[in-house]
Every structure is written in C-alpha cells, then in structure tokens.
C-alpha cells in the first residue's frame, strides 16, 4: 500500500502498511474524512514522522488523541497551530520547563521546533472526529503506533521515551529499558498536575543530561 510518509519511516514501516488491519484502518479513515469533519488535516496525519525521520529521532513523547477542536491539531502530540490558545496541558508543560531549565514560557504552543530537533511527538491515535474525543480509537491506530514504538526500541540505541500518564506508560511497556532511557510521571493535564503528579519531574533536564552523556546535542526546549 502506498502511504504518503517520510521516506526513512516508509522503509522501516512498509511491512506494517501491508497488513490487513492497516488496510482496514486506511479505509475507515478515508471514509471518516469524506463524511465528517476530522482532525488533523489529512496532509498532517503523519506530520510527526515528516518532521522527525527515523534516523534523527532521539526523544519520543507519547500523547493520546489529537485535539478535536477546529484549528488546533497538526499532527504533533500536545502541539497546536500558531495563534491558537495554548491548551491547559501544554501550559503545564511549559511551566515545568521554566521551573526545570529557567526558560521563558513561549508565546506559541506550536512545538514544531522540538520535532525538528529529533523529538517524535506521537499520538496513540493519529486522527479524531471533530468534537468527539476518542472517536477513532480501536480502529487500528493503536496497533500501528505500537509497531512504531517497537521499531524504535528494537533498532535504535539511547532514545529517551517520555511517558506521561497511565495510557502512555502502558504504551511503553515493550520498550527495552536496557537500551533506552524511559522517564515516567503523571500526565500534565490540570487534573493530574494539581494533585502533584506532574510538576517537579525534571524530565527536560534529565533528557538533556542523558543525551549529552551519549555525545548527542541536547534539545532546546
């Protein structure tokens, strides 16, 4: 099956694209985009892979659904398009970065600059129907993103996985911790963060310390 995705990733995932579940998923997604308003735009579904090719990926952040409001999602977990109000979870992410690294809070919630430094910002489900959170769950995206995580775990060394909240932790169950650094904490959503499960995790400085220890460039968060 010809899937429009960054060439590096295409070579790595070609076998996955030929599996029956993925063909069914493609059929479902095409129909959803024809008959409903869905996000992100079709050309941005694989944006995380376009901006962070396999050989450049050194950090993985695992999200859940794309944002389901107009103009928000553009294929990177937690990120919103320029000019869009910064969502509460991302507000808390920026606050932790400020506390951890002393960096000023950005004016935009667009995290493209992270992706371009090798941060794969992977939602568990890559599409969603407008105003219907979870509407594309259980259709095959989870199998696909499991395969992506497994491929990184098996074929790369020294990647930092940031697993925030219960679903992300479950998603990372098959990561080989002898080959990679796995950092876990509560989710940055206000519900978890205000209960003390997010702030103070220092994941951003810990990520950079690990990358530098392996001779890699730190991320400019």
């Amino acid at each position: 099956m010809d899937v429009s995705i960054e060439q590096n990733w295409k070579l790595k995932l070609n076998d996955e694209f030929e599996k029956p579940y993925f063909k069914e998923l493609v059929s479902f997604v095409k129909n959803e985009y024809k008959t409903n308003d869905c996000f992100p735009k079709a050309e941005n579904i694989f944006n995380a892979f376009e901006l962070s090719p396999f050989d450049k990926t050194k950090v993985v952040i695992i999200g859940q659904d794309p944002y389901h409001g107009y103009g928000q999602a553009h294929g990177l977990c937690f990120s919103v398009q320029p000019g869009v109000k910064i969502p509460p979870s991302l507000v808390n992410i920026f606050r932790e970065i400020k506390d951890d690294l002393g960096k000023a809070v950005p004016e935009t919630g667009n995290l493209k600059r992270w992706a371009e430094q090798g941060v794969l910002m992977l939602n568990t489900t890559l599409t969603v129907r407008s105003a219907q959170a979870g509407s594309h769950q259980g259709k095959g995206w989870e199998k696909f993103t499991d395969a992506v995580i497994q491929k990184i775990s098996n074929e790369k060394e020294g990647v930092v996985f940031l697993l925030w909240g219960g679903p992300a932790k479950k998603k990372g169950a098959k990561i080989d911790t002898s080959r990679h650094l796995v950092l876990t904490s509560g989710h940055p959503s206000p519900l978890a963060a205000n209960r003390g499960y997010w702030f103070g995790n220092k994941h951003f400085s810990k990520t950079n310390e690990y990358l530098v220890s392996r001779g890699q460039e730190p991320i400019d968060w």
Side-chain angles (χ1 to χ4, degrees):
M1 181 178 292
D2 187 30
V3 176
S4 181
I5 193 171
E6 191 274 331
Q7 192 60 30
N8 222 311
W9 278 108
K10 191 167 191 172
L11 293 172
K12 294 293 181 183
L13 298 170
N14 222 28
D15 289 348
E16 209 65 28
F17 298 144
E18 296 302 322
K19 292 181 179 178
Y21 89 86
F22 194 85
K23 293 179 180 181
E24 290 176 14
L25 171 63
V26 168
S27 178
F28 166 78
V29 170
K30 283 182 177 178
N31 185 63
E32 281 287 288
Y33 273 71
K34 280 181 185 175
T35 56
N36 298 281
D37 288 334
C38 296
F39 306 121
K41 290 182 178 178
E43 61 267 28
N44 287 334
I45 291 173
F46 294 107
N47 204 19
F49 302 90
E50 295 295 332
L51 295 173
S52 183
F54 183 85
D55 60 336
K56 301 281 181 64
T57 294
K58 54 189 181 182
V59 180
V60 179
I61 300 177
I62 300 174
Q64 297 177 34
D65 267 9
Y67 295 118
H68 52 78
Y70 282 94
Q72 292 180 301
H74 62 120
L76 306 177
C77 69
F78 294 104
S79 180
V80 291
Q81 308 233 42
V84 174
K85 183 180 178 182
I86 299 175
S89 290
L90 188 51
V91 168
N92 286 339
I93 289 171
F94 286 156
R95 181 177 153 191
E96 176 59 23
I97 291 171
K98 182 180 180 182
D99 292 347
D100 186 14
L101 298 172
K103 293 180 67 72
V105 174
E107 293 182 4
T108 174
N110 188 337
L111 304 179
K112 180 181 176 183
R113 60 192 178 82
W114 293 4
E116 291 173 336
Q117 296 176 75
V119 182
L120 181 68
M121 308 187 66
L122 185 67
N123 275 313
T124 299
T125 305
L126 300 191
T127 57
V128 70
R129 195 184 289 186
S130 173
Q132 295 185 40
S135 50
H136 289 184
Q137 291 178 4
K139 304 297 183 181
W141 279 128
E142 294 89 347
K143 284 186 181 180
F144 174 70
T145 48
D146 276 346
V148 170
I149 293 165
Q150 194 79 69
K151 182 70 69 172
I152 295 169
S153 178
N154 292 348
E155 297 190 17
K156 291 180 74 74
E157 293 272 353
V159 174
V160 183
F161 289 85
L162 302 180
L163 310 182
W164 301 333
K169 291 174 189 176
K170 289 179 184 175
K171 194 79 175 165
K174 294 182 179 178
I175 298 168
D176 185 345
T177 55
S178 70
R179 295 160 60 98
H180 307 283
L181 176 64
V182 178
L183 298 175
T184 64
S185 82
H187 195 273
S189 67
L191 186 64
N194 293 340
R195 290 178 177 174
Y197 300 134
W198 166 256
F199 294 115
N201 64 34
K202 297 191 180 297
H203 279 189
F204 304 97
S205 60
K206 289 176 181 177
T207 294
N208 282 351
E209 287 165 8
Y210 180 79
L211 292 174
V212 170
S213 76
R214 295 182 58 85
Q216 298 196 69
E217 284 291 315
I219 304 298
D220 179 9
W221 300 107

